[in-house]
Amino acid sequence: MNYDFREIEAKWQKYWAENETFKASNNSDKPKFYALSMFPYPSGAGLHVGHPLGYIATDIYSRYKRHKGFNVLHPMGYDSFGLPAEQYAIQTGQHPAITTENNINRYREQLDQLGFSFDWSREVRTSDPKYYKWTQWIFIQLFNAWYNKKKDKAESIETLIAIFEKEGNASVEAACDDDTPSFGAADWNAYSEKEKQKILLKYRLTYLADTEVNWCPALGTVLANDEIVNGVSERGGHPVIRKKMTQWSMRITAYAQRLLDGLDKIDWPQPLKDSQTNWIGRSEGASVTFNVLPPTPSGGGGANARLTGDSSMIGILLDRAKEMRKNPTSAEDKLWQALRRKNLDVKFRRQHPVYKYIVDFICLEKKLIIEVDGEIHDYQLDKDAQRTLELEQKKGFTVIRFTNDEVISNLEAVIKKIEDVLSSLSTGEGWGGDNNDHPHQIEVFTTRPDTIFGVSFMTLAPEHELVSKITTPQQKAAVDAYVEATAKRSERDRMADVKTISGVFTGAYAEHPFTKEPIPIWIGDYVLASYGTGAVMAVPCGDQRDYDFAKHFNIDIPNIFEGVDISEEAFADKENTIIANSDFLNGLTCKEAMKKAISELEKIGHGKGKVNYRLRDAVFSRQRYWGEPFPVYYVDGMPQMIDEKYLPLELPEVEKYLPTETGEPPLGNATVWAWDTNKNEVVTNDLIDNKTVFPLELNTMPGWAGSSQYFNRYMDPHNDEAIFSPEAINYWQDVDLYIGGSEHATGHLLYSRFWQKFMFDMGYVPKDEFAQKLINQGMITGTSAFVYRELDSNKVYSKGLISGKNVVPIHADVSLVNASDELDVEAFKEWQPEYKDAEFILEDGKYIVGREVEKMSKSKYNVVNPDAICEEYGADSLRLYEMFLGPLEQSKPWNTAGITGVHSFLKKLWKLYANVSDKEPTADNLKTLHKTIKKVEEDIENFSFNTSVSTFMICVNELTSQKCTSKAILEPLAILVSPYAPHIAEELWERLGNTGSISVAPFPKFDSTYLVERSKEYPISFNGKMRFKLELPLDMGKDEIEAAVLAHEKTQAQLGGRTPKKVIVVPGKIVNIVG
RNA sequence: GCCUUGGUGGCGGAACUGGUAGACGCGCUGGAUUCAAAAUCCAGUUCCUUCGGGAGUGAGGGUUCGAUUCCCUCCCAAGGUACCA
């Protein structure tokens, strides 16, 4: 009786389907186990051999768990909304629902022939209205929720409204928009309904906002960051530009910290956790507020002229001022000390740039300048007079002058005079003081508050809102040109070109929060508007980019690190570094200085410790047809949710699947797409009166919407009353094992965790992480085959003959090549008729192809289809071979040739059962069986499926040579094999006389007594190298072993007369002789 | 650049907490069976070798009686990420 896999596999696939063998029950005395494979997008190309890898692994584990007595949930479904079906619809007019249905049917056929133990009764399809009803439902729940930071969880929006009504929003700590105004209870209650709605949108977990989005004109849609690769769309490689649009967003940032913390308690691969950690991008530091120094108040140079220093020469001025501050004359120093001691109610600065001069002392509030003159030369006198005139007449300052002598000999009189003048002057227009009445402030985020005294300039992103407000007239042209140039450059250019340093000075200055020194404000495109506050305090000595920028524009690079050379590059090391030249931070380590700097900033109200995240809120609108419609209509421009009881809101029919001529999303083509609030149904657009009939949302949801809770829906997939019943979710709890590709690391797997946490907060699910363990299966790559055609001739050379010849490799279809890399030349000629007349130069009578591992792709002719393999070798062979290829998580090349190995294993296995007897098993039989049980069980638990396949081979080889026919051995062996090769296992099980499916037979129990050995073949090594083996009893003691080994003739031969220095004996393991 | 994972025969890959490197399979070589082929079975297959043996897990060093395994430095490959302040 031959192993007729075709008949066997068809028979059992039919049996499983008819008997619903794998249907999971939502209540059982057995412990539960939920094993899940990521559901596929049903693409038109069907499955290739790479796709089932993860499914097979999940299936093996599911079947194993059934043998182990678990109630196993192992479902499958389809992520059936998506762009390809829509693109196809655009090209052909075929409705995406039809294409999708066809593809699903094809997928189902392919999956069925592989013998998976899916519970198909629970199948879900994200594009099915019965399914997306609940996607819409979750959207509504998110809309009706806000994030309470005090409780660190999401709550119903009702609780927020209640607070607003009672006390306004002063005490509310919520994840909300940055521009949320503050208001009291009275304000709130006085707001109109629309105003209230506007405010609430700033708090809701899904909200409408004008967002700068990645717009892809070619696809007519917005793309998420993870849908863009290298600045072009992942699909199609079309250019992407930045554009402002009103979009639905998901406030995932509210969950940033919890998404980070949750990673610690789930067993997911480290690289995946790392990329999520990276993506969330937490950094600790401080936010620091810099006041922007005001413009000069007087006329003359124009209202916006800057107080401090002429922009065209500020670099030189600042350098000189610094220099002069360091080297004051004795008179200057004396007066400076006195002014500081005197507590004059006003603040003086010294060596300060004003207009095109540097003045000795200045009080900005009073517009008073004090100059101390040294020996006066004639030429100097003229200049000073002109300077005084300019400053007094044109700039509105009061200038008083003293000589060095006056200051040194009669300081008190000098101070008296200054006090008199001060009291006579009115305070200026609210500039220069320390009060917080500056018209503009720049907030920055820094991870290095300890370097605050190293700040020598600030840089704003060109898109920063303050840029237009603070730029001086002199600099306006340059700044405008720069901003425009940056906007034109695509993200791609900006990214590609990181080496070019560019930027423009705005002409404006900020004031250092501690030293009160003016700091020039620049703009530069190395600062990103989308990260932090879009502004940085530049510390060139500590940050390489700041350093490069400073070097390029000749900006001062103060060194604030003790004993560190910064003449060549910035110094970024935080460990063992001592801060210097930093006032109260001097002598502290970076760590200490950070704390100190933050507390000092907090004292003067200029900053606070802050945690910043890279994670942005997720844009949730897509300008597509083939996606979930939003359950939203608009009244007076404000979004309204359709009541849950009228869901699902089904996708409307459209004539065309492209965006409308006016640039609206494809749903803009629908003629029946308006909401009647009386009838609570969709009606024709003609009826829109904005009284009872309103327009519906035209965007649809993104791809990840349908996949963010599907794993929970499987628990109760036909429930029309709820997304799932409390009983179902409380029984199944969460996914125990989730297997899928790593490409979903920062997409599906992050969004799903976010929604799960939200569902948890709202009390819908009992676990705030949906999958305890996750495994990323590796990619299966193709092994391409090449023939080599000589250039300018019609000759095609075999691989061994190409050296020295000018040949081009040409892909040959892998199905035309046999296991020995020989090409079927005739078949090749038939496949590519252009080579019909080509001369194939053979070696040893064969044409040998070249081989190379590449990604599986149609264009490389290396795609291997599982259908053909099932036909030739059977599903069990395919399943075994996919596992046998290598470790699950590793990427590995496919080579169909190797499948003969596992196929002949199955044939040998089959033969073993030809004459089953009731004979008592021998000790050898039992030993073989039990070591197999042990190894296979360990392997499955460790997801090391490749090694258990070889264990099976060893087992069958051994039992065959033992001529084992004993049922007591062969019956448990069938169960061991069953998770891997279920069809043959079922058949053998039945032939052994069992009725019913093998799938619930208990897993054989390992008994270690069968493995006990009497003796051991000791490896005898010399200096760690094994030289020969010696069989010795296991109960032999250390000394006896040593004696026995040393007495052996081979030992003596090895030693060659030398006496060993040392003999290491590890009983039961090894003997090592050193000498 | 940074983070992560890897690097073992012609190929895919084994090797538990440091203890016989190359299990298992493919391919290859030889043989049996056959009119022949397929299939099947048997033997061999890391490299070098003067057939005694010697070398060997990306490279170099270290710890150890003993290192694919632990430590240090470097090289290479794959995946993720990036003017992230």
Side-chain angles (χ1 to χ4, degrees), chain A residues 212-214 231 239-243 462-463 480-504 523-528 549 553:
Chain A
E212 201 159 272
V213 296
N214 305 304
V240 175
I241 58 166
R242 308 284 295 167
K243 184 180 172 185
E463 300 91 341
D480 285 353
Y482 186 75
V483 170
E484 205 190 316
T486 319
K488 266 194 199 150
R489 285 176 83 189
S490 67
E491 285 277 307
R492 200 170 155 195
D493 293 345
R494 250 171 104 169
M495 262 167 19
D497 181 24
V498 293
K499 287 200 183 81
T500 317
I501 295 162
S502 69
V504 177
I523 60 174
D525 68 359
Y526 80 97
V527 175
L528 305 176
F549 195 87
F553 290 107

Side-chain angles (χ1 to χ4, degrees), chain A residues 691-880:
Chain A
K691 293 192 184 88
T692 60
V693 179
F694 301 95
L696 281 158
E697 168 75 54
L698 300 180
N699 288 294
T700 54
M701 298 186 196
W704 55 271
S707 59
S708 292
Q709 281 288 298
Y710 80 107
F711 36 83
N712 289 333
R713 179 68 177 166
Y714 277 136
M715 296 171 184
D716 194 7
H718 307 298
N719 194 332
D720 287 332
E721 305 304 313
I723 180 166
F724 38 71
S725 69
E727 294 77 31
I729 188 84
N730 284 326
Y731 177 74
W732 292 109
Q733 297 271 320
D734 55 1
V735 177
D736 294 278
L737 171 66
Y738 195 24
I739 296 185
S742 57
E743 67 273 19
H744 299 109
T746 52
H748 160 61
L749 290 172
L750 193 62
Y751 297 128
S752 294
R753 293 182 60 224
F754 159 43
W755 279 26
Q756 181 77 4
K757 286 183 189 300
F758 168 71
M759 294 288 280
F760 175 80
D761 286 352
M762 303 308 281
Y764 295 123
V765 299
K767 294 279 179 76
D768 73 338
E769 289 290 346
F770 74 94
Q772 294 171 36
K773 181 168 179 70
L774 182 134
I775 293 179
N776 290 131
Q777 87 271 22
M779 195 176 48
I780 291 188
T781 47
T783 314
S784 306
F786 294 92
V787 298
Y788 302 93
R789 185 174 70 84
E790 190 176 38
L791 278 176
D792 311 319
S793 86
N794 210 12
K795 289 178 179 163
V796 180
Y797 287 92
S798 181
K799 195 198 169 197
L801 308 171
I802 57 171
S803 74
K805 298 207 170 57
N806 195 6
V807 292
V808 279
I810 294 151
H811 276 103
D813 195 303
V814 288
S815 64
L816 307 176
V817 180
N818 75 4
S820 311
D821 293 347
E822 292 159 25
L823 178 73
D824 183 337
V825 175
E826 288 314 307
F828 181 84
K829 284 181 174 174
E830 204 169 303
W831 174 64
Q832 295 286 26
E834 49 177 306
Y835 290 94
K836 213 172 171 139
D837 303 320
E839 186 186 349
F840 281 74
I841 316 294
L842 312 180
E843 49 182 318
D844 301 332
K846 301 162 193 160
Y847 188 96
I848 306 294
V849 295
R851 289 287 202 173
E852 213 167 294
V853 171
E854 296 179 296
K855 203 172 166 169
M856 253 191 209
S857 138
K858 257 186 183 170
S859 63
K860 300 189 169 97
Y861 301 108
N862 60 3
V863 175
V864 181
N865 185 302
D867 305 16
I869 293 182
C870 280
E871 178 56 30
E872 195 174 349
Y873 300 99
D876 284 340
S877 290
L878 179 66
R879 290 170 61 109
L880 277 174

Side-chain angles (χ1 to χ4, degrees), chain A residues 187-250:
Chain A
D187 300 328
W188 173 261
N189 292 320
Y191 286 151
S192 71
E193 195 50 38
K194 185 173 177 180
E195 281 167 327
K196 285 181 181 172
Q197 286 305 319
K198 270 191 177 163
I199 300 272
L200 288 173
L201 261 185
K202 295 177 185 297
Y203 288 87
R204 296 179 190 275
L205 288 183
T206 185
Y207 60 98
L208 272 177
D210 278 333
T211 359
E212 201 159 272
V213 296
N214 305 304
W215 172 255
C216 179
L219 297 174
T221 187
V222 164
L223 300 173
N225 282 330
D226 39 309
E227 289 170 309
I228 301 169
V229 177
N230 296 330
V232 296
S233 64
E234 189 181 21
R235 253 200 89 73
H238 304 293
V240 175
I241 58 166
R242 308 284 295 167
K243 184 180 172 185
K244 275 215 163 170
M245 285 180 85
T246 303
Q247 302 273 303
W248 284 101
S249 277
M250 287 279 163

Side-chain angles (χ1 to χ4, degrees), chain A residues 271-535:
Chain A
L272 194 149
K273 285 187 181 184
D274 287 340
S275 51
Q276 290 209 351
T277 305
N278 245 316
W279 195 259
I280 296 168
R282 178 193 156 104
S283 45
E284 256 175 82
S287 93
V288 185
T289 311
F290 288 77
N291 289 329
V292 177
L293 288 170
T296 342
S298 65
N304 267 334
R306 290 283 135 185
L307 165 71
T308 51
D310 190 291
S311 58
S312 60
M313 50 195 291
I314 187 63
I316 305 160
L317 285 177
L318 278 174
D319 283 354
R320 266 186 60 200
K322 282 240 161 79
E323 192 58 31
M324 290 162 78
R325 250 175 256 141
K326 270 190 207 153
N327 305 303
T329 64
S330 55
E332 283 167 1
D333 196 44
K334 197 168 178 188
L335 183 54
W336 174 240
Q337 300 302 333
L339 286 171
R340 297 226 305 189
R341 266 199 313 275
K342 272 283 170 187
N343 260 338
L344 291 167
D345 290 336
V346 291
K347 188 174 171 68
F348 274 95
R349 291 145 211 273
R350 59 175 174 155
Q351 305 301 353
H352 196 83
V354 177
Y355 194 31
K356 52 190 184 190
Y357 307 113
I358 294 168
V359 299
D360 289 336
F361 301 97
I362 185 167
C363 168
L364 291 165
E365 289 136 278
K366 300 277 189 175
K367 294 189 281 181
L368 174 66
I369 291 169
I370 303 166
E371 301 266 40
V372 179
D373 300 323
E375 274 182 60
I376 299 165
H377 302 284
D378 283 350
Y379 68 89
Q380 184 77 42
L381 216 59
D382 277 355
K383 280 200 165 178
D384 283 349
Q386 194 199 339
R387 169 166 163 165
T388 305
L389 185 79
E390 266 192 66
L391 288 170
E392 291 201 319
Q393 307 267 304
K394 291 192 180 164
K395 304 288 173 187
F397 286 89
T398 305
V399 181
I400 45 178
R401 288 181 175 278
F402 301 100
T403 62
N404 281 347
D405 280 353
E406 277 177 289
V407 174
I408 290 165
S409 58
N410 199 351
L411 185 63
E412 274 186 31
V414 168
I415 297 289
K416 180 82 177 65
K417 172 143 191 216
I418 293 170
E419 283 176 336
D420 287 349
V421 175
L422 275 176
S423 63
S424 73
L425 291 169
S426 62
T427 305
E429 293 153 40
W431 37 276
D434 272 319
N435 10 1
N436 274 336
D437 51 3
H438 288 82
H440 299 304
Q441 297 185 320
I442 298 172
E443 197 194 327
V444 301
F445 173 75
T446 176
T447 53
R448 296 292 303 275
D450 54 315
T451 62
I452 183 96
F453 286 94
V455 176
S456 65
F457 61 101
M458 302 191 74
T459 315
L460 305 184
E463 300 91 341
H464 198 284
E465 51 159 10
L466 273 183
V467 171
S468 58
K469 294 177 185 158
I470 63 171
T471 301
T472 60
Q474 294 96 317
Q475 293 299 100
K476 192 171 182 309
V479 167
D480 285 353
Y482 186 75
V483 170
E484 205 190 316
T486 319
K488 266 194 199 150
R489 285 176 83 189
S490 67
E491 285 277 307
R492 200 170 155 195
D493 293 345
R494 250 171 104 169
M495 262 167 19
D497 181 24
V498 293
K499 287 200 183 81
T500 317
I501 295 162
S502 69
V504 177
F505 179 49
T506 60
Y509 292 83
E511 179 188 67
H512 192 283
F514 293 118
T515 67
K516 303 298 172 189
E517 302 286 345
I519 304 164
I521 304 171
W522 289 69
I523 60 174
D525 68 359
Y526 80 97
V527 175
L528 305 176
S530 57
Y531 182 75
T533 60

